[in-house]
Amino acid sequence: MNLDKLKEIIDNSNNIVFFGGAGMSTESGIPDFRSSNGLFNEKLNMTFTPEQLVSHTFFIRYPEDFYSFYKDKLIYPNAKPNAGHLALAKLEEMGKLKAIVTQNIDGLHQAAGSKNVFELHGSVLRNYCTKCHAFYDEKFILQSEGIPTCTKCGGKVKPDVVLYEEGLDEDIINGAVKAIAAADTLIIGGTSLVVYPAAGLINYFSGKNLVLINKSTTSADSKANLVIHDSIGKVLSLVV
Ligand SMILES: [Zn+2]
């Protein structure tokens, strides 16, 4: 592990952006939902993949089944920020890190104290009525039986999470692109970079140092100035 080199890069950077994926949260006990088994539906006599279960079509057609999978595999109310989240919050406080772009929906960066976070795929902490847009928190979803419905108008409540087949929020994408384009150092951690739009977004980076921290190799390893194959929480907490 080349920790000295990473330390030197951080010392000499003033505009760091961190781009993170599912691997960032596994150390907080949140597994990648895509690694779970699908769900067998007896009525239809077919098994849905995890991706199908969190698609827009599935939410519209089978909201009750959607919510049973969602509550089971995507919400972790007791998860706490890990050493990696805390190290990134510290870097922001020191004025070195300017933004976090994340594919995760667990809100753990904000829980650790990070302020400027672009949540590409939304957050399980926010839920809205599809009719009157009333806000509901995560607890409301967890406590509701079957399909969470709005107490004000009876509409179906939907998580503020970007489902498969849905487009990303343009303001969030633009903010993330701007932050990445302005960065002198981009640290990518806990993502294999295969999920859209990760691979595309990092092409906006034109700064000095591209750092990759991931347990396995990624498609961008050859482009990076520094590659560390280890757990993101461990690496970040050792250098910050
Ligand atoms: Zn409503």
Side-chain angles (χ1 to χ4, degrees):
M1 236 204 302
N2 204 339
L3 288 181
D4 289 339
K5 173 92 172 142
L6 179 57
K7 225 173 174 155
E8 188 190 313
I9 287 174
I10 290 173
D11 282 344
N12 295 312
S13 301
N14 296 303
N15 192 336
I16 301 171
V17 169
F18 178 79
F19 187 107
M24 187 75 217
S25 293
T26 46
E27 285 160 73
S28 291
I30 302 181
D32 187 346
F33 81 94
R34 286 165 299 190
S35 66
S36 70
N37 298 320
L39 198 72
F40 181 72
N41 185 305
E42 277 178 26
K43 268 177 284 174
L44 301 166
N45 192 30
M46 66 185 284
T47 300
F48 291 94
T49 64
E51 286 89 350
Q52 284 173 320
L53 291 165
V54 290
S55 69
H56 184 78
T57 304
F58 199 85
F59 174 76
I60 297 297
R61 281 196 199 153
Y62 314 108
E64 203 161 346
D65 298 300
F66 168 88
Y67 268 112
S68 86
F69 181 80
Y70 176 83
K71 285 194 214 174
D72 191 32
K73 302 289 183 196
L74 279 91
I75 307 189
Y76 292 86
N78 300 319
K80 298 270 181 294
N82 61 54
H85 294 107
L86 296 170
L88 290 169
K90 180 92 186 148
L91 279 178
E92 186 178 13
E93 200 189 301
M94 290 159 67
K96 290 204 161 277
L97 184 135
K98 302 300 180 195
I100 290 172
V101 181
T102 182
Q103 296 175 292
N104 300 337
I105 55 175
D106 48 44
L108 289 180
H109 285 295
Q110 292 92 330
S114 289
K115 301 279 184 285
N116 198 23
V117 183
F118 295 100
E119 296 175 308
L120 295 175
H121 297 156
S123 170
V124 297
L125 304 182
R126 300 183 299 266
N127 307 273
Y128 296 96
C129 170
T130 51
K131 274 192 187 159
C132 75
H133 305 292
F135 171 86
Y136 291 96
D137 62 11
E138 180 188 43
K139 208 169 151 197
F140 176 84
I141 300 294
L142 283 167
Q143 287 174 346
S144 57
E145 303 251 339
I147 306 161
T149 45
C150 179
T151 55
K152 296 178 180 80
C153 80
K156 193 160 70 174
V157 176
K158 183 181 181 291
D160 187 13
V161 166
V162 181
L163 303 178
Y164 280 83
E165 305 159 359
E166 292 180 344
L168 302 178
D169 184 295
E170 257 182 58
D171 289 342
I172 293 174
I173 280 282
N174 290 340
V177 165
K178 262 189 195 163
I180 290 170
D184 55 11
T185 293
L186 179 64
I187 303 176
I188 301 174
T191 170
S192 52
L193 288 172
V194 287
V195 182
Y196 172 85
L201 273 180
I202 68 160
N203 290 333
Y204 289 95
F205 177 67
S206 60
K208 275 183 301 190
N209 310 296
L210 179 63
V211 180
L212 280 169
I213 308 170
N214 201 51
K215 278 189 175 166
S216 53
T217 55
T218 76
S219 56
D221 279 16
S222 59
K223 290 187 222 161
N225 304 74
L226 175 63
V227 179
I228 300 176
H229 287 149
D230 208 323
S231 100
I232 180 84
K234 183 173 139 196
V235 173
L236 287 177
S237 61
L238 284 172
V239 292
V240 177

